[in-house]
Structures are given as structure tokens and as C-alpha cells.
Amino acid sequence: MTNELLIIASLLVSFGGLLFVFRFFGKGGIFAWIAICSILANIEVSVLVDAFGMEQTLGNTLFATTFLATDILSEFYGRKTAGRGVLVGIASSVMFIVFSLMWQFYIPSQNDFVHPLLKQLFSNTPRLIVASLAGYAVSEQFDIWAYEKWWNLSKKITGDERKFLWLRNNGSTLISQLINIVIFSFGAFAGLYDFSTLIMITVSAYVIYIATSLLDTPFMYLARMMHDRARDKIDSI
């Protein structure tokens, strides 16, 4: 159960870390978190592991928190701010791909032993990040659009824009993450793995995303609690 425990721990650290930066740094912290996750997840995704009876790539939990991050931005700061968060993630990935390419062209010292390993690690990074960018950009834009649609629908039905937070959180994320994983898996790994392995990677990743989407709901409500308390403190001044 080592991999399973590590994935669960990673999930808790990821969601907890997102709330931490939101609590102390507000939307600026959310932007920073999106940038960090975009870079780290694109490194982790190179690794295949067996967990919960499925073969899957690492990075799923970090990618999952970017959807929670944009949902938090949509909920408390609006669609425009959430769109800026997506642009932060795209810009971070672009800069990472530029630097990871540059590292490979350096002529190492005769005493160097890291460069061959680094070159091997990042030799496939451009393709991974291009596929990730495509999946991220399309799915996150859809997530923001869908979140607003669910919000308008719930407000129309109940007359209260605060109700059915769980519905717009999960209703937008579950579909957008399916879009993301299909684009990424086939864009990043087609030709590297056979078709059955690609399907397994896609299905297993989406199963994980379903679990993370449902599990992020309590963290979404905690984010609302933090936001309301911060707003109440400002109003009381």
C-alpha cells in the first residue's frame, strides 16, 4: 500500500497547501499555487506507478488542485480573475519548457554527473508540456465557462447565489477533467505506449480525478469559510 498511501498523502498536502496559500495570500497565493503545480505536475507526470489496482501517471493530484484553484477564483473573484489564473498556469509551463530545453544544450564540465540524467529526464518534456498545455488550456477554459453556467442555473432555481456550491464545483470539474485527461494522455503518450496502455492510463487517471473532484468539495467549503471570515474582518474595521 506504499503508493496508495503516498497518493492519499499527496492529495491531502495538495488541497491543504492550496487552502494555506489562499488563507495567507488571497488570490495572489492562488496564482502562485497554479504556477507551482503546473511545473511540478509536468515533471511528475513522466513517472508511471501502480496504485489502487491501476497503472497511472503521477501528477494527477497536483493537476486536480488547479481545477479547485480556478473554482475558488471563479466563486470569490469572478470569471475574469479565474481566466487570469489559467493564463498564469500556461505562462509557467511555457517558461518551464523553454528552460528545460536550454538546460540540455549546455556543455557540462568533465566533473559533472548530473547533466546526462537531467537530459534524459527532460528529453520528453517538450511533448509532455505541449500536450499538458493543450489539455490544460481547453479544459480549464471549459471549467470556468461551466462553473458560471452552473452558478447561474443554481441562482435561478433557488434565488440564492451561495447555494449548491457542491453542484457547480463538481459539475464543472468532472467534465473538464475528462476533457483534460483525454487530450493529455493521447497527446503525450501516443506512440510511446500501445493503445491498451493509453486507454488504461486515461481511464485510471479519470478514476483518480473523479475521486479527487468529490474529495475537494469539503476544501471548497473551507475556502468559503476563510473568505467569509476575511471579508467580515474587513467590514468590521
Side-chain angles (χ1 to χ4, degrees):
M1 292 292 290
T2 301
N3 285 345
E4 288 81 0
L5 290 174
L6 285 172
I7 288 175
I8 293 172
S10 176
L11 183 64
L12 294 176
V13 171
S14 297
F15 286 149
L18 174 59
L19 291 186
F20 177 84
V21 298
F22 180 56
R23 167 65 177 81
F24 290 99
F25 306 106
K27 64 181 178 181
I30 300 291
F31 289 155
W33 185 262
I34 291 174
I36 292 170
C37 287
S38 297
I39 294 171
L40 293 181
N42 279 302
I43 297 174
E44 277 195 334
V45 81
S46 302
V47 182
L48 279 175
V49 298
D50 292 313
F52 302 106
M54 299 176 291
E55 189 175 45
Q56 57 190 279
T57 62
L58 291 182
N60 292 334
T61 55
L62 286 174
F63 273 123
T65 60
T66 64
F67 288 91
L68 177 59
T70 52
D71 283 355
I72 290 174
L73 292 175
S74 294
E75 179 72 19
F76 305 125
Y77 303 104
R79 181 175 180 176
K80 186 175 180 180
T81 300
R84 289 176 181 171
V86 174
L87 292 178
V88 167
I90 293 174
S92 301
S93 294
V94 169
M95 293 306 298
F96 178 66
I97 193 173
V98 169
F99 279 102
S100 65
L101 280 172
M102 291 176 63
W103 295 335
Q104 299 178 51
F105 289 102
Y106 278 96
I107 300 174
S109 164
Q110 63 179 358
N111 296 317
D112 175 81
F113 62 91
V114 174
H115 189 265
L117 300 175
L118 184 146
K119 191 171 183 178
Q120 183 178 2
L121 175 63
F122 292 113
S123 61
N124 197 40
T125 295
R127 179 178 176 178
L128 290 176
I129 296 186
V130 168
S132 176
L133 275 173
Y136 179 82
V138 173
S139 62
E140 287 283 10
Q141 290 296 337
F142 177 85
D143 184 65
I144 294 170
W145 174 84
Y147 195 95
E148 185 177 53
K149 293 299 181 182
W150 282 114
W151 195 353
N152 291 336
L153 178 62
S154 62
K155 183 180 179 180
K156 181 179 180 180
I157 293 174
T158 65
D160 187 347
E161 63 181 15
R162 291 174 60 86
K163 289 185 177 180
F164 288 104
L165 175 59
W166 62 269
L167 177 62
R168 51 185 176 269
N169 173 225
N170 291 305
S172 60
T173 301
L174 286 171
I175 302 174
S176 59
Q177 286 186 337
L178 177 60
I179 295 172
N180 174 55
I181 194 57
V182 169
I183 293 175
F184 173 75
S185 293
F186 283 85
F189 302 121
L192 298 177
Y193 302 111
D194 57 46
F195 185 75
S196 61
T197 301
L198 283 173
I199 294 297
M200 179 60 69
I201 291 173
T202 302
V203 171
S204 62
Y206 188 57
V207 169
I208 296 297
Y209 280 154
I210 291 174
T212 56
S213 296
L214 297 176
L215 289 173
D216 77 7
T217 303
F219 291 89
M220 188 70 185
Y221 279 91
L222 285 173
R224 170 183 275 180
M225 186 184 303
M226 292 177 182
H227 181 264
D228 288 348
R229 287 181 177 177
R231 184 182 58 187
D232 291 342
K233 286 182 179 180
I234 294 175
D235 292 341
S236 64
I237 296 176

